[in-house]
Amino acid sequence: EPEDVLVINVMAEKDQYFKGEELLNVVLSQGMRFGSMNIFHHHEDTENDGCILYSMANLVKPGTFDLNSMSKFTTPGVSLFMPLPLESDSLAAFEKMVATARAIAIQLYGDLKDESRNVFTKQTIEHYRSRIQEFERKHRLKSPA
């Protein structure tokens, strides 16, 4: 069970939608792969094994995707999320998640938002990095040396 989850929402502009095929092309180009729970995951390595670094769900409930209908699919946005603790380098995984979110936003003309759907700024990124560092510091204190 994750103790904390970092979230970046990528939202289409007001009254707009991301097209399924375009979204699929961007996330695949960023190394994400369709997998368990019918959502996309970015694994530690490109062969889809190793731990999952972060995942992407549809903002529309139930949050899943149907690969067979991506050509007819639209969504107002997606949510990338990274659970903590992670079995890998959390800061590096977070940086990859930010890069993927930015790629989606740039290529599909979307906006980055935080977990409360406020504008995702440089300060937000620093706050998330601090959360990771603080989480890992507390985790090291809990675990036996």
Side-chain angles (χ1 to χ4, degrees):
E1 282 296 300
E3 295 175 39
D4 196 2
V5 179
L6 302 176
V7 177
I8 304 173
N9 292 301
V10 187
M11 319 252 324
E13 293 179 356
K14 186 172 170 49
D15 300 322
Q16 299 294 312
Y17 295 89
F18 296 145
K19 293 179 180 155
E21 284 184 332
E22 294 174 1
L23 177 63
L24 181 61
N25 288 335
V26 176
V27 298
L28 292 177
S29 75
Q30 292 298 306
M32 297 197 81
R33 298 292 173 256
F34 188 72
S36 64
M37 301 183 296
N38 293 327
I39 62 175
F40 290 87
H41 305 282
H42 195 290
H43 291 261
E44 191 166 30
D45 62 52
T46 55
E47 301 304 315
N48 279 0
D49 40 5
C51 73
I52 292 174
L53 300 180
Y54 56 92
S55 301
M56 183 186 81
N58 186 355
L59 274 182
V60 177
K61 287 185 179 175
T64 58
F65 300 94
D66 178 357
L67 282 186
N68 296 320
S69 65
M70 291 302 276
S71 62
K72 297 175 242 146
F73 169 82
T74 61
T75 183
V78 294
S79 184
L80 286 86
F81 58 96
M82 186 180 102
L84 293 173
L86 203 59
E87 295 174 24
S88 187
D89 182 337
S90 300
L91 278 174
F94 173 70
E95 299 303 332
K96 286 182 183 179
M97 185 171 79
V98 170
T100 298
R102 282 186 173 140
I104 295 167
I106 289 166
Q107 293 182 43
L108 302 183
Y109 304 101
D111 297 311
L112 297 181
K113 305 284 184 171
D114 68 11
E115 57 211 334
S116 303
R117 297 192 183 169
N118 296 314
V119 175
F120 197 82
T121 63
K122 287 181 180 173
Q123 289 81 6
T124 311
I125 291 173
E126 287 305 317
H127 172 70
Y128 278 32
R129 285 179 183 141
S130 294
R131 273 175 63 185
I132 292 167
Q133 290 167 334
E134 181 64 14
F135 179 88
E136 290 185 340
R137 186 187 67 77
K138 285 181 179 173
H139 217 257
R140 278 193 302 273
L141 292 177
K142 284 183 191 174
S143 58

